[in-house]
């Protein structure tokens, strides 16, 4: 029996990320267009900007969080559930702090309206991520050795 387990290649991860973001930006752009009565171009551009910010925050935050783990003698890939929850909450908090002013300015919202919109989008993105990942794994499986 072969104990080797194949994982996704770098190119496959890139395809996943690009498909994920492209579909998400499209969904958010169209949804916000209907919700706020704005053009899809307008809300789509905002979605692209927020997506780019999320990508940069993700890269920076994860690098710093990994460095903090290493500083305290922890292996980043072996985080406890509590550390993973803290990681996720920290990421979403930073992303919300950055995205709220953009949502307020772009859509003309109050802080509370922007916060409710941001919370709603976060919840929807969790569901989207689950469904997208499930579909991606089904349509682009990683072949395993016999």
């Amino acid at each position: 029996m072969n104990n080797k387990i194949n994982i996704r290649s770098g190119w496959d991860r890139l395809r996943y990320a690009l498909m994920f973001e492209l579909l998400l930006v499209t969904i958010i752009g169209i949804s916000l267009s209907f919700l706020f009565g704005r053009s899809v171009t307008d809300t789509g551009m905002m979605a692209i900007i927020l997506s780019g910010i999320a990508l940069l925050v993700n890269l920076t935050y994860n690098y710093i969080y990994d460095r903090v783990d290493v500083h305290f003698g922890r292996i980043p890939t072996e985080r406890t559930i509590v550390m993973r929850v803290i990681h996720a909450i920290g990421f979403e908090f930073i992303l919300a702090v950055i995205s709220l002013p953009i949502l307020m300015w772009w859509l003309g919202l109050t802080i509370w309206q922007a916060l409710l919109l941001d919370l709603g989008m976060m919840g929807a993105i969790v569901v989207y991520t689950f469904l997208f990942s499930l579909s991606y794994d089904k349509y682009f499986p990683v072949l395993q050795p016999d």
Side-chain angles (χ1 to χ4, degrees):
M1 179 172 142
N2 189 345
N3 289 333
K4 186 174 183 327
I5 296 174
N6 292 333
I7 61 172
R8 297 198 179 280
S9 68
W11 289 109
D12 193 17
R13 291 176 193 275
L14 179 61
R15 175 179 56 190
Y16 172 95
L18 291 174
M19 289 174 67
F20 178 93
E21 289 298 328
L22 182 61
L23 184 57
L24 182 59
V25 163
T26 302
I27 291 169
I28 289 175
I30 292 170
S31 298
L32 293 180
S33 173
F34 285 120
L35 187 63
F36 290 99
R38 309 274 293 259
S39 75
V40 174
T41 304
D42 182 42
T43 56
M45 184 55 68
M46 184 188 70
I48 290 169
I49 290 168
L50 291 175
S51 176
I53 289 169
L55 178 62
L56 292 174
V57 169
N58 187 309
L59 293 170
T60 305
Y61 180 78
N62 285 320
Y63 176 79
I64 292 169
Y65 204 90
D66 286 353
R67 298 282 88 199
V68 169
D69 273 347
V70 169
H71 176 76
F72 287 104
R74 297 185 299 254
I75 299 169
T77 58
E78 297 178 10
R79 290 183 184 129
T80 64
I81 296 297
V82 170
M83 291 307 293
R84 289 184 184 281
V85 168
I86 291 169
H87 174 267
I89 290 170
F91 174 76
E92 289 301 332
F93 177 77
I94 290 169
L95 199 54
V97 166
I98 294 169
S99 65
L100 280 178
I102 295 168
L103 291 171
M104 291 169 60
W105 174 74
W106 203 293
L107 299 172
L109 304 175
T110 68
I111 190 165
W112 296 112
Q113 291 169 324
L115 184 59
L116 284 174
L117 176 60
D118 200 38
L119 289 172
M121 286 192 319
M122 279 190 255
I125 290 170
V126 167
V127 173
Y128 167 77
T129 301
F130 175 81
L131 294 173
F132 182 89
S133 296
L134 186 65
S135 298
Y136 190 86
D137 287 344
K138 179 180 178 180
Y139 292 105
F140 299 102
V142 176
L143 300 177
Q144 298 299 319
D146 293 325

